[in-house]
Amino acid sequence: MNDTRFLKLTDYENQGTVIKQEGRQFFGYEKGSWVRRGLSLGYFYPDAPEFDCYEVISEKEAIGLLIGE
């Protein structure tokens, strides 16, 4: 089972940032590779200001955003 998904953050501070999620781990794209990073649980916690401030996007769309297409 492939549990990888790509998220585009939509909150004011991180708008447009592309994140890769594999299970419960998150990765940011830096200098040509995916690097593990933390992501605020607020994106998934209903009482947090940034709750649900992301869009699930396809891998193709994520790559396009990362390389500027």
Side-chain angles (χ1 to χ4, degrees):
M1 181 176 118
N2 185 355
D3 61 350
T4 298
R5 68 180 184 164
F6 295 86
L7 311 174
K8 180 172 71 170
L9 304 182
T10 59
D11 61 295
Y12 181 77
E13 188 174 328
N14 297 299
Q15 188 169 8
T17 300
V18 174
I19 300 294
K20 179 170 80 167
Q21 179 182 9
E22 292 181 346
R24 295 178 6 192
Q25 297 180 350
F26 295 92
F27 300 85
Y29 197 75
E30 298 177 17
K31 300 179 183 175
S33 63
W34 292 103
V35 177
R36 187 159 180 207
R37 61 169 278 183
L39 185 68
S40 170
L41 291 178
Y43 288 99
F44 309 103
Y45 186 68
D47 293 333
E50 67 269 23
F51 174 68
D52 213 19
C53 287
Y54 64 90
E55 298 173 15
V56 177
I57 60 175
S58 69
E59 182 175 9
K60 182 178 180 180
E61 186 178 355
I63 303 279
L65 289 168
L66 292 169
I67 62 173
E69 288 185 352

